[in-house]
Amino acid sequence: MLNMRGYILWVCFITLFAKMGFSGRSKDSLKVTRELYAVRVTEPIHINGVLNEPMWSKADVADGFLVYEPYNGEKASQPTRVRVLYDDYAIYIGANLYDSYPDSIYRDLGQRDNSDRLRADAFTVYLSTYNDGINYLQFTVSASGVQSDIKITSGKNDRNWNAVWESAVAFDSSGWSVEMRIPYSALRFSNANQQVWGINFSRLIKRKNEISTWNFVDKSQASFITQSGILKGISGIKPPLRLSFLPYVSAYMDHQPNSNTFNPRFSGGMDLKLGLAQSFTLDVTLIPDFGQVRSDDKILNLSPFEVKYDEARQFFTEGTELFTKGGVFYSRRIGGLPANYYRVYETLETNEVIDKNPQETKMINASKLSGRFSNGLGLGFFNAMTDNTYAEVVDTISGERRKVLTQGFSNYNVVVLDQNLPNNSYVSLINTNVYRPNDDFTANVTATELYLKDKQQTIGFYGSGAVSQRFNNATERGFKSYLDFGKISGNFQGNVWTNIESKHYNPNDLGYLRSPNEFSTGINVSYKVFDPFWKLLNFESSIGFSDSRLYKPRSFESQTLSFNIRFTNINNFSGGLNVSYNPTIRYDYYEPRVEGRKLMLPRVFWVQWWGSPDYRKTVALDHRLAYWFSDIYNQKAYMYSISPRIRFSDKLLVVYSWAYQSEWNNLGYYTKTENDIFIGSRKLVTITNTINVQLAFTAKSFLNLRARHYIRHYKYNDFYTLNQDGSLTHTALISDPTNRNYNLFNIDMFYQWHFAPGSEMVLAWKNMVEETLTNPVYSYSQNVEGIWNAPQYNSFSLKILYYIDYQMLKKLRS
């Protein structure tokens, strides 16, 4: 079915060809840590994009930029000169970005925090105030003036981190220039008299897709920030009192399905940020309001596992990098589905129906404290509380109503310690705790992780472990461990890994795990070409093998062989091929929905191609095509998606996406009796249709409209009785099966106006229509007609947030 040996030989051929095509020029001479000195200023610097104050000409100059991509190590095609100033309140960065063809500079507008993803030139500053090679901040300004700020910890990007800083750009006949003012209140640094910070600068020339950096960064090395330069000269500054308030007011007009009226509601509250000591920040949200969060991409879930949705609430996405350590914190648990949501159905008496059953618990408040000492020790505390949540049940005859508690008052706590180690390594310890006094319930999880790298950043060892405990009527304990060892830099890379989760390991009260009871191992080998050769800018190929079993009993689950390639050619077209094969019969221990039972599944061959063109073009078409089939049950499936991107102007971008997936003889649980489990064979079709309109009026004013139509329908064609060995026996006991057609349509429209630093006004419209039918509707137009005529939920809202900084008030008073 799959000639794996042939693929291996093919990969070896490409690898040899790549090595022959690459010049092999040594980059060791470029690996010098550059130093730059900041100059103190006493006169004010006006942030207008023009470096015309006298002090700019007296400052040390960072120039001689080298290409990061595509031609790593070459001299940048256009000169760049950067200077750094500072005073008692802020650090100032000024850059002259010379260009021989200033009229060709791309200047597309877009949403804040996306300036590095626009069709626009951009300039970026990377700051590591502790110079630890692990934690750093990224400040980016596009040529159109759009800002981005990103916090990066251990290679993980936090785009939701928002600092309040100033920037401006200007253009002249020699190119463009940028000025930044980053106040110390946006940074965390030690109380040392002499500051030594890690720093680097990068420049993107979008028409060439050229990225260059001041301090050379070797693409073949594992870490970007460890290859930064050094900023010296800053002395006599003190970490300021970092105190800011973000009060808000909001107004809503909500229309519920099957209602003829709009219901108004109003809300108000405040977020507070307080700097403690030199490097810690306390964040508190009082009376939080998350009504303007983008809708989840809900699906019709046919699996035995819970669906994990992304977190979009800003309080839980901004500044939470410490709390991701150990992988045991899933913030959607807070304010999520009540713990006893489904028990209401079990309490219903004769003639009673459920009138209300909230799917979210109401948050009272939340707070987080995080920071890092000068010795590299990070410390974080998180706390949140939710109120009692009730369902309402009504007697259809007497009209009497009663409340049913679905989740009592709940307290959530997280504590984390994270110590930086030499060679950009770290070790962490985290504890999560959930306490519900009404249920006499406590859940406790303690986890640790360790990442060690050698001095050359070539070899890496990663390990993590966790212990879970749940206390209610009985005590339940479990554990997990994960080990990974490999070569992390250079052309040849690879790793071996093993993952163990005991049967009763359960972090899901404040974390997320699909299923425990796992013992799996794997190996991956890859070859990466970072420098252009032949007609390619880069190339990567990999081969992997994994074996998965239950932890207890040690029963076999599956084995997988995988092969992957990806590349970017000289026309900036990126593509990839992914192939996987299960060489043995597999066993699913979860689909039967009964402990101790299993479903035997066939060998599967799966192949996928994807392609992504150059986004600089006016029209670009992303596409994906996948196909798989098995050796029994006549199973097969295909999936394709197309996503055209049309750039109508520098301000308007429309992205459309159509995805279609069809599966024949998909096997899934249907029902069970006291003695039998029935598995159904069904045709399953999933269609997702999405359009995203992005309209930028200015660098601070942006409209985003996203509409998503999701359809999933299935129809059973055969039924089987599940045998003890996992095989299936055809049965005629089920004659009138329940099929389904699920239709979901969402609109999310947000207009954002950043009318002052850190302040914004948001106007939002959210629409949702949901329809479930008992038989598939195969016509797409009929699905559209059905969803159009179904009852709708609509919400219109206006929210105004105003940023108040204590330092600004203090400066105004003086």
Side-chain angles (χ1 to χ4, degrees):
M1 184 174 295
L2 172 63
N3 187 349
M4 205 63 195
R5 182 171 57 184
Y7 277 116
I8 294 174
L9 291 174
W10 188 80
V11 172
C12 292
F13 171 77
I14 289 293
T15 298
L16 179 62
F17 184 79
K19 290 181 73 66
M20 292 175 62
F22 172 50
S23 64
R25 182 175 61 86
S26 174
K27 301 174 184 175
D28 291 341
S29 61
L30 303 177
K31 296 178 181 180
V32 178
T33 302
R34 294 181 171 183
E35 294 185 357
L36 181 70
Y37 284 83
V39 175
R40 178 182 279 276
V41 294
T42 56
E43 300 297 325
I45 301 294
H46 300 287
I47 306 302
N48 57 8
V50 181
L51 282 66
N52 53 4
E53 288 87 357
M55 286 305 299
W56 283 120
S57 61
K58 299 178 182 179
D60 199 6
V61 178
D63 55 8
F65 279 49
L66 297 170
V67 174
Y68 175 70
E69 62 180 32
Y71 300 99
N72 194 216
E74 298 291 334
K75 183 181 178 181
S77 63
Q78 300 290 337
T80 304
R81 296 168 65 86
V82 187
R83 298 171 172 86
V84 177
L85 306 175
Y86 76 98
D87 58 21
D88 289 332
Y89 303 98
I91 183 172
Y92 303 85
I93 294 97
N96 293 110
L97 302 108
Y98 300 100
D99 200 305
S100 304
Y101 305 95
D103 292 338
S104 300
I105 296 173
Y106 286 169
R107 311 181 193 184
D108 277 15
L109 288 165
Q111 191 169 12
R112 192 185 193 277
D113 287 333
N114 277 289
S115 58
D116 54 336
R117 296 173 173 176
L118 301 175
R119 193 182 70 162
D121 286 24
F123 173 76
T124 298
V125 179
Y126 303 91
L127 284 176
S128 179
T129 55
Y130 291 98
N131 196 28
D132 56 14
I134 298 176
N135 305 277
Y136 66 102
L137 305 176
Q138 173 180 334
F139 299 90
T140 300
V141 181
S142 72
S144 51
V146 179
Q147 289 185 346
S148 291
D149 37 30
I150 304 171
K151 180 184 288 187
I152 304 178
T153 303
S154 305
K156 298 178 181 178
N157 293 6
D158 178 10
R159 285 183 174 268
N160 296 288
W161 176 73
N162 285 320
V164 179
W165 52 290
E166 297 177 68
S167 65
V169 299
F171 291 83
D172 57 30
S173 59
S174 63
W176 65 292
S177 57
V178 59
E179 280 184 308
M180 298 181 183
R181 179 186 182 274
I182 304 174
Y184 297 140
S185 58
L187 307 174
R188 298 175 182 178
F189 52 89
S190 71
N191 206 23
N193 183 59
Q194 299 289 332
Q195 298 286 327
V196 179
W197 295 355
I199 195 168
N200 209 349
F201 311 103
S202 74
R203 176 183 181 180
L204 168 63
I205 303 177
K206 191 63 179 179
R207 69 178 182 275
K208 299 182 177 184
N209 270 350
E210 177 187 291
I211 299 175
S212 58
T213 61
W214 169 60
N215 204 80
F216 173 65
V217 178
D218 187 347
K219 287 179 63 177
S220 66
Q221 299 301 306
S223 176
F224 184 98
I225 191 58
T226 58
Q227 303 178 71
S228 293
I230 299 295
L231 179 66
K232 294 183 177 180
I234 299 178
S235 63
I237 65 172
K238 301 294 182 182
L241 174 60
R242 292 176 285 114
L243 175 61
S244 62
F245 306 91
L246 194 65
Y248 78 87
V249 292
S250 59
Y252 292 84
M253 292 291 289
D254 298 331
H255 177 271
Q256 300 294 334
N258 301 313
S259 174
N260 295 323
T261 60
F262 278 88
N263 299 313
R265 57 187 176 96
F266 302 93
S267 181
M270 183 173 65
D271 289 353
L272 177 147
K273 288 182 182 290
L274 172 62
L276 301 177
Q278 60 191 26
S279 305
F280 287 82
T281 301
L282 173 67
D283 292 90
V284 180
T285 180
L286 304 172
I287 318 178
D289 176 14
F290 302 117
Q292 292 190 322
V293 173
R294 203 197 82 178
S295 304
D296 289 327
D297 287 343
K298 289 177 59 178
I299 65 171
L300 175 62
N301 183 23
L302 301 178
S303 78
F305 308 114
E306 173 193 11
V307 178
K308 183 180 182 181
Y309 292 109
D310 293 335
E311 178 63 88
R313 299 171 296 179
Q314 185 171 337
F315 182 83
F316 294 101
T317 58
E318 180 186 352
T320 57
E321 66 283 350
L322 270 177
F323 303 102
T324 64
K325 299 290 184 179
V328 293
F329 178 51
Y330 176 44
S331 57
R332 288 291 296 264
R333 299 293 181 204
I334 303 168
L337 190 73
N340 300 317
Y341 175 83
Y342 294 105
R343 288 189 193 173
V344 182
Y345 299 91
E346 302 172 4
T347 67
L348 291 179
E349 300 177 359
T350 306
N351 301 323
E352 284 189 330
V353 296
I354 298 175
D355 184 49
K356 294 180 181 179
N357 193 9
Q359 296 186 358
E360 298 177 349
T361 55
K362 184 177 180 181
M363 190 185 307
I364 300 173
N365 57 50
S367 59
K368 56 181 184 273
L369 170 67
S370 62
R372 193 171 293 274
F373 294 102
S374 57
N375 63 0
L377 176 63
L379 178 64
F381 296 96
F382 177 93
N383 175 263
M385 292 177 280
T386 58
D387 206 352
N388 293 331
T389 304
Y390 294 93
E392 293 187 20
V393 175
V394 60
D395 189 303
T396 56
I397 297 178
S398 66
E400 292 184 1
R401 308 177 70 90
R402 65 184 179 92
K403 290 184 176 182
V404 179
L405 185 67
T406 56
Q407 181 170 317
F409 169 83
S410 302
N411 187 72
Y412 303 86
N413 283 297
V414 183
V415 181
V416 59
L417 297 169
D418 177 57
Q419 177 64 60
N420 295 338
L421 300 175
N423 304 324
N424 314 117
S425 306
Y426 65 87
V427 59
S428 302
L429 181 69
I430 185 171
N431 176 266
T432 67
N433 182 275
V434 179
Y435 177 51
R436 297 198 299 269
N438 291 37
D439 297 332
D440 193 24
F441 175 85
T442 302
N444 194 79
V445 178
T446 301
T448 183
E449 65 177 11
L450 171 69
Y451 195 16
L452 297 176
K453 292 182 278 188
D454 68 339
K455 188 175 183 180
Q456 290 73 32
Q457 306 291 294
T458 302
I459 304 298
F461 169 80
Y462 176 83
S464 66
V467 176
S468 68
Q469 303 177 89
R470 305 178 86 228
F471 305 97
N472 198 348
N473 297 325
T475 301
E476 184 182 273
R477 291 184 174 90
F479 70 90
K480 73 156 289 185
S481 67
Y482 179 85
L483 300 175
D484 187 306
F485 177 79
K487 185 174 183 290
I488 58 177
S489 294
N491 297 111
F492 281 104
Q493 299 182 24
N495 67 303
V496 292
W497 58 270
T498 181
N499 184 63
I500 299 174
E501 295 163 0
S502 71
K503 185 175 182 179
H504 296 293
Y505 175 64
N506 186 355
N508 283 348
D509 294 285
L510 196 47
Y512 178 87
L513 179 68
R514 274 169 52 101
S515 60
N517 199 18
E518 177 183 328
F519 184 93
S520 57
T521 56
I523 182 171
N524 298 283
V525 179
S526 65
Y527 183 78
K528 302 180 180 182
V529 181
F530 300 97
D531 296 274
F533 71 98
W534 188 46
K535 296 184 178 182
L536 300 179
L537 296 178
N538 55 64
F539 176 84
E540 176 182 341
S541 62
S542 65
I543 298 175
F545 173 78
S546 64
D547 179 277
S548 182
R549 302 168 188 268
L550 295 183
Y551 174 74
K552 187 176 183 180
R554 199 63 56 85
S555 302
F556 176 79
E557 281 191 288
S558 66
Q559 289 181 339
T560 303
L561 286 165
S562 63
F563 165 71
N564 304 281
I565 64 170
R566 62 176 299 157
F567 64 88
T568 302
N569 68 14
I570 57 176
N571 295 317
N572 284 287
F573 175 89
S574 297
L577 180 69
N578 313 112
V579 179
S580 69
Y581 176 54
N582 302 115
T584 60
I585 292 292
R586 301 168 294 141
Y587 293 93
D588 189 330
Y589 295 87
Y590 300 96
E591 189 62 36
R593 320 290 168 103
V594 175
E595 187 174 355
R597 301 297 298 274
K598 60 185 178 182
L599 172 63
M600 185 171 68
L601 295 173
R603 302 173 182 86
V604 170
F605 174 83
W606 181 85
V607 60
Q608 174 182 255
W609 158 264
W610 62 270
S612 182
D614 189 347
Y615 284 175
R616 294 173 299 177
K617 296 180 178 180
T618 302
V619 179
L621 182 67
D622 289 312
H623 58 278
R624 189 179 300 266
L625 178 65
Y627 178 76
W628 69 263
F629 63 91
S630 69
D631 59 351
I632 56 176
Y633 302 128
N634 193 29
Q635 289 183 315
K636 58 182 178 180
Y638 73 90
M639 183 278 287
Y640 70 89
S641 67
I642 55 173
S643 181
R645 302 167 58 93
I646 305 174
R647 192 178 306 279
F648 290 94
S649 69
D650 289 351
K651 297 182 177 181
L652 178 60
L653 173 67
V654 177
V655 182
Y656 173 74
S657 177
W658 167 275
Y660 183 92
Q661 180 171 323
S662 182
E663 300 180 55
W664 285 269
N665 298 313
N666 173 276
L667 295 177
Y669 170 86
Y670 183 75
T671 190
K672 66 180 179 180
T673 64
E674 186 176 347
N675 300 315
D676 293 312
I677 299 173
F678 295 99
I679 301 295
S681 173
R682 58 204 174 194
K683 181 179 180 182
L684 177 62
V685 175
T686 306
I687 303 171
T688 307
N689 194 14
T690 308
I691 187 168
N692 195 313
V693 180
Q694 302 174 27
L695 175 60
F697 301 100
T698 68
K700 298 180 180 180
S701 179
F702 186 84
L703 174 71
N704 181 268
L705 185 147
R706 183 177 187 269
R708 174 180 180 264
H709 185 199
Y710 171 85
I711 302 169
R712 172 168 273 190
H713 58 72
Y714 57 86
K715 183 177 182 180
Y716 288 99
N717 50 57
D718 272 314
F719 288 94
Y720 303 89
T721 301
L722 181 64
N723 301 319
Q724 288 295 329
D725 65 353
S727 62
L728 299 175
T729 300
H730 191 272
T731 181
L733 293 178
I734 300 176
S735 58
D736 188 19
T738 301
N739 302 309
R740 183 175 292 187
N741 190 91
Y742 179 71
N743 230 339
L744 177 70
F745 181 73
N746 286 101
I747 295 177
D748 292 281
M749 188 193 76
F750 297 96
Y751 168 72
Q752 294 175 288
W753 174 35
H754 296 273
F755 60 86
S759 306
E760 68 176 17
M761 182 192 77
V762 182
L763 179 65
W765 170 40
K766 297 179 67 175
N767 170 270
M768 187 187 78
V769 191
E770 194 173 21
E771 179 191 52
T772 301
L773 303 176
T774 56
N775 279 299
V777 177
Y778 297 105
S779 167
Y780 189 81
S781 61
Q782 290 183 18
N783 275 289
V784 172
E785 182 180 355
I787 204 73
W788 183 264
N789 294 321
Q792 300 186 15
Y793 166 81
N794 276 285
S795 176
F796 297 91
S797 61
L798 174 66
K799 189 174 184 178
I800 300 175
L801 306 92
Y802 190 75
Y803 177 80
I804 303 173
D805 182 20
Y806 171 80
Q807 293 298 323
M808 290 296 295
L809 294 177
K810 181 180 177 181
K811 199 171 182 180
L812 288 173
R813 287 201 304 267
S814 61

